[in-house]
Coordinates of all heavy atoms in Angstrom, one line a residue:
M679 N 78.2 109.7 161.0 CA 79.5 109.4 160.5 C 79.3 109.0 159.0 O 78.4 108.4 158.6 CB 80.1 108.2 161.2 CG 81.3 107.6 160.6 SD 82.1 106.2 161.4 CE 80.9 105.5 162.4
T680 N 80.3 109.5 158.2 CA 80.3 109.1 156.8 C 81.5 108.3 156.6 O 82.6 108.5 157.3 CB 80.4 110.3 155.9 OG1 81.6 111.0 156.1 CG2 79.2 111.3 156.0
D681 N 81.4 107.2 155.9 CA 82.5 106.3 155.6 C 82.7 106.3 154.1 O 82.0 105.6 153.4 CB 82.2 104.9 156.2 CG 83.2 104.0 156.1 OD1 84.2 104.1 155.3 OD2 83.2 103.0 156.9
R682 N 83.7 107.0 153.7 CA 84.0 107.2 152.2 C 84.4 105.9 151.6 O 84.3 105.8 150.4 CB 85.0 108.3 151.9 CG 84.6 109.7 152.5 CD 83.3 110.3 151.9 NE 82.2 109.7 152.7 CZ 81.1 109.3 152.2 NH1 80.8 109.2 151.0 NH2 80.2 108.8 153.0
G683 N 84.9 104.9 152.3 CA 85.4 103.7 151.7 C 84.2 102.8 151.4 O 84.2 102.1 150.4
R684 N 83.2 102.9 152.2 CA 82.0 102.0 152.0 C 80.9 102.7 151.2 O 80.1 102.1 150.6 CB 81.5 101.5 153.3 CG 82.5 100.6 154.0 CD 82.0 99.9 155.3 NE 83.0 99.1 155.9 CZ 83.4 99.4 157.1 NH1 82.8 100.3 157.8 NH2 84.4 98.7 157.6
G685 N 80.9 104.0 151.3 CA 79.8 104.8 150.6 C 80.3 105.3 149.3 O 79.8 106.3 148.9
G686 N 81.3 104.7 148.7 CA 81.8 105.2 147.5 C 81.0 104.8 146.3 O 79.8 104.6 146.4
P687 N 81.6 104.7 145.1 CA 80.9 104.4 143.9 C 80.1 103.2 143.9 O 79.1 103.1 143.2 CB 82.1 104.3 142.9 CG 83.2 105.0 143.5 CD 83.1 104.9 145.0
I688 N 80.4 102.3 144.7 CA 79.7 100.9 144.8 C 78.2 101.2 145.3 O 77.3 100.7 144.7 CB 80.4 100.0 145.7 CG1 81.7 99.6 145.1 CG2 79.5 98.8 146.0 CD1 82.6 98.8 146.0
G689 N 78.1 102.1 146.3 CA 76.8 102.3 146.9 C 76.1 103.6 146.7 O 74.9 103.6 146.5
E690 N 76.8 104.7 146.7 CA 76.1 106.0 146.7 C 76.3 106.8 145.5 O 75.5 107.7 145.3 CB 76.7 106.8 147.9 CG 76.4 106.1 149.2 CD 74.9 106.0 149.6 OE1 74.0 106.8 149.0 OE2 74.5 105.1 150.4
G691 N 77.3 106.6 144.7 CA 77.5 107.4 143.5 C 78.1 108.8 143.7 O 79.3 108.9 143.7
N692 N 77.3 109.8 143.9 CA 77.8 111.2 144.0 C 78.2 111.5 145.4 O 77.4 111.9 146.3 CB 76.6 112.1 143.5 CG 77.0 113.5 143.6 OD1 78.1 113.9 144.1 ND2 76.2 114.4 143.1
L693 N 79.5 111.3 145.6 CA 80.0 111.5 147.0 C 79.9 113.0 147.4 O 79.6 113.2 148.6 CB 81.4 111.0 147.1 CG 81.6 109.5 146.9 CD1 83.1 109.2 147.1 CD2 80.9 108.8 147.9
I694 N 80.2 113.9 146.5 CA 80.1 115.3 146.9 C 78.7 115.7 147.3 O 78.5 116.3 148.3 CB 80.5 116.2 145.7 CG1 82.0 115.9 145.2 CG2 80.4 117.7 146.0 CD1 83.0 116.2 146.3
G695 N 77.7 115.2 146.5 CA 76.3 115.5 146.9 C 76.0 114.8 148.2 O 75.3 115.4 149.1
L696 N 76.5 113.6 148.5 CA 76.2 112.9 149.7 C 76.8 113.7 150.9 O 76.1 113.8 151.9 CB 76.8 111.4 149.6 CG 76.7 110.6 150.9 CD1 75.2 110.4 151.2 CD2 77.4 109.3 150.8
V697 N 78.0 114.1 150.7 CA 78.6 114.9 151.8 C 77.8 116.2 152.1 O 77.6 116.5 153.3 CB 80.1 115.2 151.5 CG1 80.7 116.3 152.4 CG2 80.9 114.0 151.5
R698 N 77.4 116.8 151.1 CA 76.7 118.1 151.3 C 75.3 117.8 152.0 O 74.9 118.5 152.9 CB 76.5 118.8 149.9 CG 77.7 119.4 149.3 CD 77.4 120.2 148.1 NE 78.6 120.7 147.5 CZ 79.3 121.7 147.9 NH1 79.0 122.3 148.9 NH2 80.4 122.1 147.2
K699 N 74.6 116.8 151.5 CA 73.3 116.4 152.1 C 73.5 116.0 153.5 O 72.7 116.4 154.4 CB 72.7 115.3 151.2 CG 71.3 114.9 151.7 CD 70.8 113.8 150.8 CE 69.5 113.3 151.3 NZ 68.9 112.3 150.5
A700 N 74.5 115.2 153.8 CA 74.7 114.7 155.2 C 75.0 115.9 156.2 O 74.5 115.9 157.3 CB 75.8 113.6 155.2
H701 N 75.8 116.8 155.6 CA 76.2 118.0 156.4 C 75.0 118.8 156.7 O 74.8 119.3 157.8 CB 77.3 118.8 155.7 CG 77.7 120.0 156.5 ND1 78.4 120.0 157.7 CD2 77.4 121.3 156.2 CE1 78.5 121.2 158.1 NE2 78.0 122.0 157.3
A702 N 74.1 119.1 155.6 CA 72.9 119.9 155.8 C 72.0 119.3 156.8 O 71.3 120.0 157.5 CB 72.3 120.0 154.4
Q703 N 72.0 118.0 157.0 CA 71.1 117.3 158.0 C 71.8 117.1 159.3 O 71.4 116.4 160.1 CB 70.6 116.0 157.4 CG 69.8 116.2 156.1 CD 69.3 114.9 155.5 OE1 69.6 113.8 156.0 NE2 68.7 115.0 154.3
D704 N 73.1 117.7 159.5 CA 73.9 117.5 160.7 C 74.1 116.0 161.0 O 74.0 115.6 162.1 CB 73.2 118.3 161.8 CG 74.2 118.5 163.0 OD1 75.4 118.6 162.7 OD2 73.7 118.5 164.1
L705 N 74.5 115.3 160.0 CA 74.7 113.8 160.1 C 76.1 113.4 160.1 O 76.4 112.2 160.3 CB 74.0 113.1 159.0 CG 72.5 113.2 159.0 CD1 71.9 112.5 157.8 CD2 71.8 112.7 160.3
I706 N 77.1 114.4 160.0 CA 78.5 114.0 159.9 C 79.1 114.3 161.3 O 79.2 115.4 161.7 CB 79.3 114.7 158.8 CG1 78.6 114.5 157.5 CG2 80.7 114.3 158.8 CD1 79.3 115.3 156.4
G707 N 79.6 113.2 161.9 CA 80.3 113.3 163.2 C 81.8 113.0 163.0 O 82.7 113.6 163.7
E708 N 82.1 112.2 162.0 CA 83.5 111.8 161.7 C 83.5 111.3 160.3 O 82.5 110.7 159.8 CB 83.9 110.6 162.6 CG 85.3 110.2 162.2 CD 85.8 109.0 163.2 OE1 86.3 109.3 164.3 OE2 85.5 107.8 162.8
T709 N 84.5 111.6 159.5 CA 84.6 111.1 158.2 C 85.8 110.1 158.1 O 86.9 110.4 158.5 CB 84.9 112.3 157.2 OG1 83.8 113.2 157.2 CG2 85.1 111.8 155.8
Q710 N 85.5 108.9 157.7 CA 86.5 107.9 157.6 C 86.9 107.6 156.1 O 86.0 107.7 155.3 CB 86.0 106.5 158.1 CG 85.7 106.6 159.6 CD 85.1 105.4 160.2 OE1 84.7 104.4 159.5 NE2 85.0 105.3 161.5
V711 N 88.2 107.5 155.9 CA 88.7 107.5 154.5 C 89.3 106.2 154.2 O 90.2 105.7 155.0 CB 89.8 108.7 154.4 CG1 90.4 108.5 153.0 CG2 89.1 110.0 154.6
A712 N 89.0 105.6 153.1 CA 89.6 104.4 152.5 C 89.1 104.4 151.1 O 88.0 104.6 150.7 CB 89.1 103.1 153.2
D713 N 90.1 104.2 150.1 CA 89.8 104.3 148.7 C 89.1 103.0 148.3 O 89.2 102.0 148.9 CB 91.0 104.5 147.9 CG 90.8 105.5 146.7 OD1 89.6 105.6 146.2 OD2 91.7 106.2 146.3
V714 N 88.4 103.1 147.1 CA 87.7 102.0 146.6 C 88.2 101.7 145.1 O 88.4 102.7 144.4 CB 86.2 102.4 146.4 CG1 85.3 101.4 145.7 CG2 85.6 102.7 147.8
P715 N 88.5 100.5 144.8 CA 88.3 99.3 145.6 C 89.6 99.0 146.4 O 90.6 99.6 146.2 CB 88.2 98.2 144.5 CG 88.9 98.7 143.4 CD 88.8 100.2 143.4
G716 N 89.4 98.1 147.4 CA 90.6 97.6 148.1 C 90.8 98.2 149.5 O 91.6 97.7 150.3
R717 N 90.0 99.3 149.9 CA 90.1 99.9 151.2 C 91.6 100.4 151.5 O 92.1 100.1 152.5 CB 89.6 99.1 152.3 CG 88.1 98.8 152.1 CD 87.4 98.3 153.4 NE 87.5 99.2 154.5 CZ 86.8 100.3 154.6 NH1 86.0 100.7 153.8 NH2 86.9 101.2 155.7
R718 N 92.2 100.9 150.5 CA 93.6 101.4 150.6 C 93.6 102.9 150.8 O 92.6 103.6 150.7 CB 94.4 101.0 149.4 CG 94.5 99.6 149.0 CD 95.2 98.8 150.0 NE 95.3 97.4 149.5 CZ 95.6 96.4 150.3 NH1 95.7 96.5 151.6 NH2 95.6 95.2 149.8
E719 N 94.8 103.5 150.9 CA 94.9 104.9 151.2 C 94.5 105.7 149.9 O 94.4 105.2 148.8 CB 96.3 105.3 151.5 CG 97.3 105.3 150.4 CD 98.0 103.9 150.2 OE1 97.6 102.9 150.9 OE2 98.9 103.8 149.4
P720 N 94.1 107.0 150.1 CA 93.8 107.9 149.0 C 94.8 107.8 147.9 O 96.0 107.8 148.1 CB 93.7 109.3 149.6 CG 93.4 109.0 151.1 CD 94.1 107.8 151.4
G721 N 94.3 107.9 146.6 CA 95.2 107.9 145.5 C 95.4 106.5 144.9 O 96.0 106.3 143.9
T722 N 94.8 105.5 145.5 CA 95.0 104.1 145.1 C 93.7 103.5 144.4 O 93.7 102.4 143.9 CB 95.4 103.1 146.2 OG1 94.4 103.1 147.2 CG2 96.7 103.6 146.8
G723 N 92.6 104.3 144.3 CA 91.4 103.8 143.8 C 90.6 104.9 143.0 O 91.2 105.7 142.4
E724 N 89.4 104.8 143.1 CA 88.4 105.6 142.2 C 88.0 106.9 142.9 O 87.4 107.8 142.1 CB 87.2 104.8 141.9 CG 87.4 103.5 141.2 CD 86.2 102.6 141.2 OE1 85.1 103.0 141.7 OE2 86.3 101.5 140.6
I725 N 88.1 107.1 144.1 CA 87.6 108.3 144.8 C 88.6 109.5 144.6 O 89.8 109.4 144.9 CB 87.3 108.1 146.3 CG1 86.3 106.9 146.4 CG2 86.8 109.3 147.0 CD1 86.0 106.5 147.7
N726 N 88.0 110.7 144.3 CA 88.8 111.9 144.2 C 88.8 112.6 145.5 O 88.0 113.5 145.8 CB 88.2 112.8 143.1 CG 88.9 114.1 142.9 OD1 89.8 114.5 143.7 ND2 88.6 114.8 141.8
Y727 N 89.7 112.2 146.4 CA 89.8 112.8 147.8 C 90.1 114.2 147.9 O 89.6 114.8 148.7 CB 90.7 111.8 148.7 CG 89.9 110.6 149.2 CD1 90.1 109.4 148.7 CD2 89.0 110.8 150.1 CE1 89.5 108.3 149.2 CE2 88.2 109.7 150.6 CZ 88.5 108.5 150.1 OH 87.8 107.4 150.6
P728 N 91.0 114.8 147.0 CA 91.2 116.2 147.1 C 89.8 117.0 146.9 O 89.5 118.0 147.5 CB 92.1 116.5 146.0 CG 93.0 115.2 145.9 CD 91.9 114.1 146.1
A729 N 88.9 116.5 146.0 CA 87.6 117.1 145.8 C 86.7 117.0 147.1 O 86.0 117.9 147.5 CB 86.9 116.5 144.6
I730 N 86.9 115.8 147.7 CA 86.1 115.6 149.0 C 86.6 116.6 150.1 O 85.9 117.2 150.8 CB 86.2 114.1 149.5 CG1 85.7 113.1 148.5 CG2 85.7 114.0 150.9 CD1 84.2 113.1 148.4
A731 N 87.9 116.7 150.1 CA 88.6 117.6 151.1 C 88.1 119.1 150.8 O 87.8 119.8 151.8 CB 90.1 117.5 151.0
R732 N 88.1 119.5 149.6 CA 87.6 120.8 149.3 C 86.2 121.1 149.7 O 85.8 122.1 150.2 CB 87.8 121.1 147.8 CG 89.3 121.4 147.4 CD 89.4 121.9 146.0 NE 88.9 121.0 144.9 CZ 89.6 120.0 144.4 NH1 90.8 119.7 144.8 NH2 89.0 119.2 143.5
T733 N 85.3 120.0 149.4 CA 84.0 120.1 149.8 C 83.8 120.2 151.4 O 83.0 121.0 151.8 CB 83.2 118.9 149.3 OG1 83.3 118.9 147.8 CG2 81.7 119.0 149.7
L734 N 84.5 119.4 152.1 CA 84.5 119.4 153.5 C 84.8 120.9 154.0 O 84.2 121.4 154.9 CB 85.4 118.4 154.2 CG 84.9 117.0 154.0 CD1 86.0 116.0 154.5 CD2 83.6 116.7 154.7
K735 N 85.9 121.4 153.4 CA 86.3 122.8 153.8 C 85.2 123.8 153.4 O 84.8 124.7 154.2 CB 87.6 123.2 153.1 CG 88.1 124.5 153.5 CD 89.4 124.8 152.9 CE 89.9 126.2 153.4 NZ 91.3 126.5 152.9
E736 N 84.6 123.7 152.2 CA 83.5 124.6 151.8 C 82.3 124.6 152.7 O 81.7 125.6 153.0 CB 83.1 124.3 150.4 CG 84.1 124.6 149.3 CD 83.7 124.0 147.9 OE1 82.6 123.5 147.8 OE2 84.5 124.0 147.0
I737 N 82.0 123.4 153.2 CA 80.8 123.3 154.0 C 81.1 123.6 155.5 O 80.2 123.7 156.4 CB 80.1 121.9 153.9 CG1 81.0 120.9 154.5 CG2 79.7 121.7 152.5 CD1 80.4 119.5 154.5
G738 N 82.3 123.9 155.8 CA 82.7 124.3 157.2 C 82.9 123.1 158.1 O 82.9 123.3 159.4
Y739 N 83.1 121.9 157.6 CA 83.3 120.8 158.4 C 84.6 120.9 159.3 O 85.7 121.2 158.7 CB 83.4 119.5 157.5 CG 83.6 118.2 158.4 CD1 82.7 117.7 159.2 CD2 84.9 117.6 158.3 CE1 82.9 116.5 159.8 CE2 85.1 116.5 159.0 CZ 84.1 115.9 159.8 OH 84.4 114.7 160.5
E740 N 84.5 120.7 160.5 CA 85.6 120.8 161.5 C 85.9 119.5 162.2 O 86.7 119.5 163.2 CB 85.5 122.0 162.4 CG 85.4 123.3 161.6 CD 85.3 124.5 162.6 OE1 85.0 124.4 163.8 OE2 85.4 125.7 162.1
G741 N 85.2 118.4 161.9 CA 85.4 117.2 162.6 C 86.6 116.4 162.2 O 87.4 116.8 161.4
T742 N 86.6 115.2 162.7 CA 87.7 114.3 162.5 C 87.6 113.7 161.1 O 86.6 113.4 160.6 CB 87.7 113.1 163.5 OG1 87.8 113.7 164.8 CG2 88.8 112.2 163.2
V743 N 88.8 113.7 160.4 CA 88.9 112.9 159.1 C 89.9 111.9 159.4 O 91.1 112.2 159.7 CB 89.4 113.8 158.0 CG1 89.6 113.0 156.7 CG2 88.4 115.0 157.7
A744 N 89.6 110.6 159.5 CA 90.4 109.5 159.8 C 90.6 108.6 158.7 O 89.7 108.2 158.0 CB 89.8 108.8 161.0
M745 N 91.8 108.1 158.5 CA 92.1 107.1 157.5 C 91.8 105.7 158.1 O 92.5 105.3 159.1 CB 93.6 107.2 157.0 CG 93.8 106.2 155.9 SD 95.4 106.5 155.0 CE 96.6 106.0 156.1
E746 N 90.9 105.1 157.5 CA 90.5 103.7 158.0 C 90.8 102.8 156.8 O 90.0 102.3 156.1 CB 89.1 103.6 158.3 CG 88.7 102.3 158.9 CD 87.2 102.2 159.1 OE1 86.4 102.4 158.2 OE2 86.8 101.6 160.2
A747 N 92.1 102.6 156.5 CA 92.5 101.9 155.3 C 93.7 101.1 155.5 O 94.5 101.2 156.5 CB 92.8 102.9 154.2
W748 N 94.0 100.1 154.6 CA 95.2 99.3 154.6 C 96.2 100.0 153.7 O 95.9 100.6 152.7 CB 94.9 97.9 154.0 CG 93.9 97.1 154.8 CD1 92.6 97.0 154.4 CD2 94.1 96.5 156.0 NE1 92.0 96.2 155.4 CE2 92.9 95.9 156.4 CE3 95.2 96.2 156.9 CZ2 92.7 95.1 157.5 CZ3 95.0 95.5 158.0 CH2 93.8 94.9 158.3
A749 N 97.4 100.1 154.2 CA 98.5 100.7 153.3 C 98.8 99.7 152.1 O 98.8 98.5 152.3 CB 99.8 100.8 154.2
S750 N 98.8 100.4 150.9 CA 99.1 99.5 149.8 C 100.6 99.0 149.6 O 100.9 98.2 148.8 CB 98.7 100.3 148.5 OG 99.5 101.5 148.4
G751 N 101.3 99.7 150.5 CA 102.8 99.3 150.5 C 103.4 99.8 151.8 O 103.0 99.4 152.9
V752 N 104.3 100.7 151.7 CA 105.0 101.3 152.8 C 104.0 102.3 153.6 O 103.4 103.1 153.0 CB 106.2 102.1 152.4 CG1 106.9 102.8 153.5 CG2 107.2 101.2 151.6
G753 N 104.0 102.0 154.9 CA 103.0 102.8 155.7 C 103.2 104.3 155.7 O 102.3 105.0 155.6
E754 N 104.5 104.7 155.6 CA 104.8 106.2 155.6 C 104.3 106.8 154.3 O 103.8 107.9 154.2 CB 106.3 106.5 155.7 CG 106.8 106.2 157.1 CD 107.1 104.7 157.4 OE1 107.1 103.8 156.5 OE2 107.3 104.3 158.5
L755 N 104.4 106.0 153.2 CA 103.8 106.5 151.9 C 102.3 106.7 152.0 O 101.7 107.7 151.5 CB 104.3 105.6 150.8 CG 103.7 106.0 149.4 CD1 104.1 107.4 149.0 CD2 104.2 105.0 148.3
A756 N 101.6 105.7 152.6 CA 100.2 105.7 152.7 C 99.8 106.9 153.5 O 98.9 107.7 153.2 CB 99.7 104.5 153.5
L757 N 100.5 107.3 154.6 CA 100.2 108.4 155.4 C 100.5 109.8 154.6 O 99.7 110.7 154.7 CB 101.1 108.5 156.7 CG 100.6 107.4 157.7 CD1 101.6 107.5 158.9 CD2 99.2 107.8 158.3
E758 N 101.5 109.8 153.8 CA 101.8 110.9 153.0 C 100.7 111.2 151.9 O 100.3 112.3 151.7 CB 103.1 110.8 152.3 CG 103.5 112.0 151.4 CD 103.4 113.3 152.1 OE1 103.7 113.4 153.3 OE2 103.0 114.3 151.5
R759 N 100.2 110.1 151.4 CA 99.1 110.2 150.4 C 97.8 110.8 151.1 O 97.1 111.6 150.5 CB 98.8 108.8 149.7 CG 99.9 108.4 148.7 CD 99.5 107.1 148.1 NE 100.4 106.8 147.1 CZ 100.6 105.5 146.6 NH1 100.0 104.5 147.1 NH2 101.4 105.4 145.6
F760 N 97.5 110.3 152.3 CA 96.4 110.8 153.1 C 96.6 112.2 153.3 O 95.7 113.0 153.1 CB 96.3 109.9 154.4 CG 95.3 110.5 155.3 CD1 93.9 110.2 155.1 CD2 95.5 111.2 156.5 CE1 92.9 110.7 155.9 CE2 94.7 111.7 157.3 CZ 93.3 111.4 157.1
R761 N 97.8 112.7 153.9 CA 98.1 114.0 154.2 C 97.9 114.9 152.9 O 97.4 116.0 152.9 CB 99.4 114.2 154.7 CG 99.5 113.7 156.1 CD 100.9 114.1 156.8 NE 101.1 113.3 157.9 CZ 102.0 112.3 158.0 NH1 102.7 111.9 157.1 NH2 102.1 111.6 159.2
S762 N 98.4 114.4 151.8 CA 98.4 115.2 150.6 C 97.0 115.4 150.1 O 96.7 116.5 149.6 CB 99.2 114.4 149.5 OG 99.2 115.0 148.3
A763 N 96.1 114.4 150.2 CA 94.7 114.5 149.7 C 94.0 115.5 150.6 O 93.0 116.1 150.1 CB 94.1 113.1 149.8
F764 N 94.3 115.6 151.9 CA 93.5 116.4 152.8 C 94.1 117.7 153.2 O 93.6 118.4 154.1 CB 93.0 115.5 154.0 CG 92.0 114.6 153.6 CD1 92.2 113.4 153.1 CD2 90.6 115.0 153.6 CE1 91.2 112.5 152.7 CE2 89.6 114.2 153.2 CZ 89.9 112.9 152.7
T765 N 95.3 118.0 152.7 CA 96.0 119.3 153.0 C 95.6 120.3 151.9 O 96.0 120.1 150.8 CB 97.5 119.1 153.2 OG1 97.8 118.2 154.1 CG2 98.1 120.4 153.5
L766 N 94.9 121.3 152.4 CA 94.5 122.3 151.4 C 95.3 123.7 151.5 O 95.8 124.0 152.5 CB 93.0 122.6 151.5 CG 92.1 121.4 151.4 CD1 90.6 121.8 151.7 CD2 92.2 120.8 150.0

């Protein structure tokens, strides 16, 4: 499992490289999404989730992408931001 909210700029640095390396080693079972800082929905922090989504598509990832975040405001808006970041 990769956890993009906890493995973000604070701990791992290059998220694209981390995703590629984890996939190459067959280590991704689920991808959990929360932006940094604050564990909010995509678009509220430092992580470029559309780039993560493109990379997941490029490597052929077909597993679960789950939002594990607090809504920064209205829940429906948080879900729309999540969908927008991961709809290619």
